[in-house]
Amino acid sequence: MSGPRLADTRAALAAVEARLAALDAGRGPRVDGFRSAVQDVVFVASSSRGGSSVFAEMLRHSRALVHLQAEVNPFLLLAGLGPGRDGRDSDAVPPGAPFDGAVLDRGLALDAGQPAATVDPVAWAGDVAWRLQAQWPALAWDRAAVARWFDESLAAAGLDAGAPLPEGGASAVYLGVLRRAQAAGLPVDPAHCDLPPALLGPGPLPAGPPGPVVLEEPPFVVPRPWARATRAQLARPLIVKTPSNVHRLAFLAGLFPRARVRVLHLVRNPAATVNGLVDGWRYRGFHAHRLTAPLSIAGYTDRRPADAHWWKFDLPPGWQARAGEPLAQIAAFQWSSAHRATLDFLAANPGIDRLRVDFADVVGPLARRRATFARILDWLGQPVDPALAARIDALPPPVMATAAPRARRWFARAEELAPALAAPAVQALVDELGLGPPAGWT
């Protein structure tokens, strides 16, 4: 194969899988045969920077649904699937691809559930230890040391067993653990996590990736108190949100053998999405795939030379041929590839129930938000419960944001984006997705 090549991460990922398996042994009961126990699964299909993180965070407030704490990619990688692990050179996974089903079942069973209303220190500490190992996989984390740092951080935050979690409480506790790890000499940087800038405080920001191998893409999720799903709860819809899933929907459709499979297609106008992708490539996070040689992408590697060995966000088939284009064109390729893959899958599988939702309606005026989530929950066959209703009315804080949200942020970069947005593949999808003229885009 000519062009850029992915680094071989199989040995490194096998080593971290063994460390994580050891940590899993102390994390309490879980549903055996998890994938066979799931009765209803909903894949949120979107492009990267298409609003899926905000959307999934809002849905996590629903007690009528089952959620993953973050994205599914780490569990697929640990089970032997994904670029750099399974011998393939993109995020596409064909139906029937081999994988370690026991590893995948274990990971999903320990992660699926709902935000807990109160603090369970033992369960939370176990999740924190697992996340630290997944986020900094090159380090061998000591379970006893992490437990001590967690207890100290929990006490410093004034939280006891059974206490309700205050706003920002999970971030304060996790930052406390990371600061103690730093003090112990571990090379971790809290700025790689999805923590509020005000909490991080002043200081230099990382110039490159968090380490030589990535299992969970930064900005890293902050683990929160979490209630693991029971077998009975797996009759409810399980929401699975990861943008790169659009390139493996045919594989994923067969992953839960007894489940009803549905697709919620989340769309967002290309100007806002491509602008968000450009911001993300230039941000200190979103490292996804390490390459054997540095990239040369105008607008990216000239601005972040320490990231030059890293492809960011999803890896569509055919990415190698685009790797020398300007950044805005690569971002437009990622947007169009994601939605084309989703539409092609749905066209080939007319029996799969689907719902299309515009992200502008998810975060639009209050009446529109309420109507949109009412339509979504009606499609899911579940009620809009009080916790979700409160979050819909309040809107969530920024999630995985590179800058403060504001309407039409892409206007400031309109000239740079214009050639990429004019590409025939982009324009065809604008029409097919019914996104309307740019004058109406937010």
Side-chain angles (χ1 to χ4, degrees), residues 418-438:
L421 297 177
V426 172
Q427 290 298 308
L429 277 167
V430 167
D431 293 338
E432 196 166 348
L433 296 173
L435 293 173

Side-chain angles (χ1 to χ4, degrees), residues 27 30 36 56 79 145 147 149 165 236 246-247 264 274 277 303 305 329 341 381 391:
R27 293 176 69 195
R30 60 181 183 269
S36 293
W149 298 334
L165 186 71
R236 305 172 186 174
V246 296
H247 302 295
L264 191 153
V274 171
L277 283 162
R303 298 192 182 206
Q329 293 184 28
R391 178 50 71 193

